[in-house]
Amino acid sequence: MTSQSIFYGEECINFHVCVVPDRPKRKVAIHVHPDGSVQVDTPEGVANGEVREAVRKRARWVLKHVTEARRQREHVLPRQYVSGESHFYLGRRHVLKVSIDANEKAGVKLVRGRLEVQCPKDNPGMIKDLLWAWYRKRSMEFIQRRLNTHTDGISWLSAPPPWKLASMQKQWGSCSPKGALSLNAHLVKAPRECVDYVLLHELCHLKERNHSDRFYQLLERQMPEWRSVKAKLDGMAELLLNE
Ligand SMILES: [Zn+2]
């Protein structure tokens, strides 16, 4: 078995070539496994260029099945922090591209829909830490900006409340008795309107502590469509909360 890759547009297809001696003459077969890996079976004596051409011809089909396989697994498997995996930011799925180079400065950039991680070592733990530092920085900026905007439109607030990011298993946000917000560190992965829904929900708790009718009246005034936004967030929760 040999590992190879080709580019199709911006996408990279990695595949293993498996020589199967008794395959019918010159027939190349492509399989996409449930883990998203691609296997290409060829009979003996087929030139490498021909194998690559066969993959290129079916590239669109291969990519569709690889993406589908990954999507299925993302619900259940922990993230591996490798190139090709997708990660969310503000509701969008971005493909991770990891570059390993000990001489380059470590960091994360969002370039044309791709999350590019520059890391000195091929170490998933280190890549994860870099990515999370990026998420936290983006969260601090984005959430603060949204809190400032919402505070302007809310009569019971004179200033945005203090807040922090927290590790939370099931909740997106909470509000302390002193009026400080804790927000789930994964929140910035959710679509913008879902982030706004969580923030407005917590800001309404600064006026009405419990989920009373009065609370929902306040929330409805701030975000009339909150039920559909909440349903969207609930539907994505498992995917977004997967580390
Ligand atoms: Zn609540």
Side-chain angles (χ1 to χ4, degrees):
M1 281 236 289
T2 61
S3 293
Q4 301 198 26
S5 58
I6 62 160
F7 272 93
Y8 180 75
E10 289 253 292
E11 306 278 353
C12 181
I13 301 175
N14 298 303
F15 57 96
H16 301 290
V17 179
C18 214
V19 176
V20 184
D22 57 354
R23 276 202 70 76
K25 240 189 172 343
R26 313 206 78 73
K27 282 269 188 204
V28 172
I30 304 171
H31 312 277
V32 178
H33 297 302
D35 66 354
S37 65
V38 181
Q39 180 182 334
V40 181
D41 288 345
T42 94
E44 271 175 318
V46 175
N48 192 33
E50 227 174 296
V51 172
R52 296 172 71 82
E53 190 50 37
V55 177
R56 205 179 306 276
K57 268 189 186 148
R58 299 193 69 195
R60 193 192 284 269
W61 177 90
V62 171
L63 282 170
K64 184 173 160 246
H65 284 84
V66 168
T67 305
E68 193 46 47
R70 286 206 183 115
R71 210 165 276 196
Q72 299 276 341
R73 282 163 61 87
E74 272 162 11
H75 284 83
V76 290
L77 287 184
R79 296 302 170 93
Q80 294 177 304
Y81 299 90
V82 294
S83 285
E85 192 172 56
S86 61
H87 288 257
F88 282 89
Y89 176 63
L90 293 179
R92 295 237 171 93
R93 198 184 274 275
H94 297 290
V95 175
L96 196 64
K97 182 174 177 271
V98 179
S99 304
I100 309 297
D101 189 337
N103 299 316
E104 291 284 333
K105 191 168 176 286
V108 179
K109 272 190 290 194
L110 184 58
V111 185
R112 278 176 282 126
R114 243 188 348 206
L115 264 173
E116 300 191 351
V117 181
Q118 185 72 52
C119 190
K121 281 189 202 154
D122 191 2
N123 177 330
M126 201 182 263
I127 295 163
K128 181 179 177 178
D129 288 347
L130 283 167
L131 197 57
W132 270 102
W134 180 86
Y135 272 127
R136 272 192 299 274
K137 186 164 179 283
R138 290 289 185 118
S139 297
M140 297 315 281
E141 292 165 6
F142 182 75
I143 291 174
Q144 189 61 60
R145 209 160 63 228
R146 296 310 295 158
L147 279 174
N148 293 348
T149 301
H150 292 313
T151 298
D152 284 346
I154 289 178
S155 58
W156 61 90
L157 294 176
S158 54
W163 65 281
K164 64 176 174 27
L165 294 172
S167 299
M168 300 169 132
Q169 295 291 322
K170 301 219 180 288
Q171 281 175 295
W172 288 108
S174 68
C175 176
S176 79
K178 284 187 172 169
L181 309 188
S182 292
L183 299 167
N184 194 310
H186 292 273
L187 183 58
V188 81
K189 295 178 180 179
R192 287 162 195 270
E193 66 269 29
C194 298
V195 178
D196 280 338
Y197 158 71
V198 172
L199 298 181
L200 288 167
H201 183 113
E202 298 308 327
L203 293 176
C204 288
H205 277 314
L206 296 177
K207 172 97 168 155
E208 291 290 336
R209 291 283 157 181
N210 302 311
H211 292 136
S212 62
D213 290 346
R214 282 203 306 261
F215 170 83
Y216 287 110
Q217 281 162 17
L218 286 181
L219 181 58
E220 196 132 350
R221 221 173 297 151
Q222 297 303 323
M223 184 181 257
E225 73 286 15
W226 71 267
R227 284 183 187 82
S228 95
V229 178
K230 180 181 185 294
K232 187 176 186 178
L233 183 59
D234 289 346
M236 296 180 82
E238 199 185 0
L239 192 55
L240 299 177
L241 294 170
N242 182 7
E243 286 212 45

